[in-house]
């Protein structure tokens, strides 16, 4: 009979300990207080060039970069920090980027807004292939 109240106390304490953590996560997302939505400030190696097929795109969430390849083989890259309120975009559906915060959508190949509330296009990045590896960097 005494084990049951102890389990209840543990459950309550565990729940209380988790509540502030969840709250901090939401605050950081709204305020952009962490670096998840930080724009690219220096060159970064993304991965093998072969990961981006002709006519396709790949989202590199860890670096907030999307790379697209046109039918002619040309590469384009954009920073995937949403221009509405700075959330990192975490979903690529075909060539359509979808922001998890308020539902803005962008064209991965042009950076243009496909769905509001965002109104400004994504920031373009420079992208090149070095020894078979995609490298994105801020534009000069
Ligand atoms: S931050 Fe992306 S839609 Fe609001």
């Amino acid at each position: 009979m005494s084990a049951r109240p102890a389990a209840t106390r543990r459950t309550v304490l565990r729940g209380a300990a988790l509540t502030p953590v969840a709250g901090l996560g939401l605050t950081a997302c709204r305020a952009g207080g962490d670096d998840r939505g930080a724009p690219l400030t220096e060159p970064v190696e993304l991965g093998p060039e072969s990961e981006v097929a002709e006519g396709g795109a790949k989202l590199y969430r860890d670096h907030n970069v999307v790379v697209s390849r046109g039918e002619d083989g040309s590469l384009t890259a954009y920073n995937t920090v949403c221009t509405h309120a700075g959330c990192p975009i975490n979903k690529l559906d075909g060539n359509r980027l979808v922001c998890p915060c308020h539902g803005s959508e962008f064209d991965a190949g042009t950076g243009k807004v496909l769905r509001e509330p965002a109104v400004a296009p994504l920031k373009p990045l420079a992208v090149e292939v070095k020894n078979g590896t995609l490298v994105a960097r801020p534009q000069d």
Side-chain angles (χ1 to χ4, degrees):
M1 180 133 179
S2 64
R4 195 165 182 85
T8 301
R9 274 194 304 272
R10 271 197 304 270
T11 303
V12 170
L13 289 173
R14 198 177 304 139
L18 289 175
T19 301
V21 173
L24 284 174
L26 288 172
T27 300
C29 182
R30 276 198 305 267
D34 61 22
D35 64 356
R36 287 179 300 156
L40 204 62
T41 56
E42 58 188 32
V44 62
E45 290 188 1
L46 300 171
E49 176 191 15
S50 58
E51 288 182 338
V52 185
E54 283 188 7
K58 181 170 174 58
L59 175 60
Y60 297 89
R61 291 189 192 126
D62 290 349
H63 301 293
N64 294 321
V65 174
V66 66
V67 177
S68 298
R69 187 187 299 273
E71 297 293 343
D72 63 355
S74 63
L75 293 167
T76 56
Y78 291 90
N79 185 294
T80 55
V81 176
C82 183
T83 59
H84 175 236
C87 287
I89 295 172
N90 64 358
K91 182 178 177 184
L92 177 64
D93 183 8
N95 284 347
R96 182 178 290 252
L97 292 159
V98 183
C99 181
C101 289
H102 314 102
S104 289
E105 296 181 2
F106 301 86
D107 185 308
T110 65
K112 290 182 179 174
V113 175
L114 299 175
R115 181 176 183 175
E116 295 184 358
V119 294
L122 296 176
K123 185 177 179 184
L125 299 169
V127 62
E128 61 186 333
V129 179
K130 283 188 176 175
N131 299 322
T133 300
L134 290 167
V135 178
R137 60 180 165 76
Q139 285 191 338
D140 297 327

